[in-house]
Amino acid sequence: MRAWLRDTAGGLSATYWYLWTGLLINKVGGFAVLFLSLYLTSQRGAGTAQAGLIVGTYGIGGLLGTLAGGVLTDRWGRRRTLLVSHFATVAALCLLAFNTQLAVIAALCALLGVAQSMAAPAFVAAIIDVTPADKRSRAFNLQFWALNLGLAGASLLAGLLAQWSYQALFLIDAGCTLATGVLIAWKVPETLRTLPPPSLSPSRSPLPSPLPSPWPSLVSSSAQKLRRGGGLGTVLTDRIFLVFVGLTLLQALIYTQASTIVPLAMHADGLSPSAYGSVVALGGALIVLGQLFVPRLIDGRRKARVLALALLLNGAGFAVLALADHVALYLTAAVIWTVGSMLAAPPNAEINSELAPLALRGRYQAVFFLTFPAASFLAPSLGGAGLQYLGDAHWLVVGALGAVAAVLHLSAGPSRERRVAAIRSDTAAIANVS
């Protein structure tokens, strides 16, 4: 057992573990968004569709925050972006705790989306910076494990706290976010590396040479682009990456049902907030117990095939809810969609890191992480209306979406693999010339 733990968690830097700890603290206290739809319907008198739209403003803010976070991650650095994000989130949560008007709450949800989403590109870029390529799958698997370990604790505590005080949910969330900000300020150094332009490298040689610059012969044109960098336009014209982002959006739209539409469905079935907390906690517990074993199950298998299976399971889990009207069947469905998410997490994060060139890591992470606030807007906005007008058939539509995403992953896999191989070759050439 000790050797297994050493193989699973060993070889990662102290900075990685401080980042990991910050993610865990944040997630344990991440009550606000998890129970926001229930708060709006049970405490503020919002209807199902109206609650979905208000929660959707969080996703709109997240779109802006993710883009800003990606640009700032490359310009300001990872550490400063993380600090601004966390302290701004504390302010937004405290304001939400003491406001009761729906219009103000919607505006604050958008502000919270901006502040919280800024951190995602910086966190992942910092993890990539401090983790060798051969250890990133392990690092991202542990990251996903930490997020769900925190989610399991948060959902259990929040289910109890919601029956006592929704205001406490916001304030405890703010306190945990503040603790993470302090930890980053204290222990996490700046990890951004600045590369010199290609033209400077040959001039550093102490020996004159009549030979032409080695850049054209040793490094491909795409590698030179990787070193020079670029803007968001470079990312937005990378078709292979954008296809992957689009498929991740489909995955996020499916999985976000668990935190946005499932609580509304359970409320409509007459189930309590603590029952929903149990469903979320079960998923988190499964991940806590089993996620560390996932790499052994998927190592050596094509990532596209693993993701296709994962999306099928995600969709199937939610499709089961078309028959659900009591807690036991909701718990069964949660097991199915959670297994899919467990399988998807390592290859999804690893592909994302492999497709991101060194000089543009922040921007690539920003565009990738746009999928999550986009899903935070689209899932409750469309899902709330779908549940209201389609009823249980809504869950069959979600299941079909999972099947479509699985087929598309299998189709896109070969081109992704060729692109990853090219980026690795170009990055190695840059390192050799440097």
Side-chain angles (χ1 to χ4, degrees), residues 108-129:
L108 289 173
C109 283
L111 177 61
L112 180 64
V114 171
Q116 283 190 328
S117 298
M118 284 176 62
F123 261 124
V124 176
I127 288 173
I128 297 172
D129 290 343

Side-chain angles (χ1 to χ4, degrees), residues 31 50 363 414:
F31 306 128
Q50 187 179 25
R363 289 171 174 83

Side-chain angles (χ1 to χ4, degrees), residues 75 123 232 236 247:
R75 291 185 179 178
F123 261 124
L232 281 172
L236 296 175
L247 292 174

Side-chain angles (χ1 to χ4, degrees), residues 276-324:
Y276 171 61
S278 298
V279 169
V280 178
L282 173 63
L286 286 174
I287 292 171
V288 169
L289 294 174
Q291 189 66 46
L292 296 181
F293 297 95
V294 168
R296 293 192 177 187
L297 295 176
I298 64 176
D299 278 351
R301 303 183 186 278
R302 290 184 179 274
K303 297 182 180 69
R305 294 179 181 176
V306 175
L307 287 172
L309 175 60
L311 266 296
L312 281 175
L313 289 171
N314 275 159
F318 287 103
V320 168
L321 297 185
L323 305 174

Side-chain angles (χ1 to χ4, degrees), residues 269 316-326 328-330 333 391-393 395-396:
D269 286 334
F318 287 103
V320 168
L321 297 185
L323 305 174
D325 57 2
H326 52 83
L329 203 49
Y330 277 101
D392 290 337
W395 301 115
L396 298 179

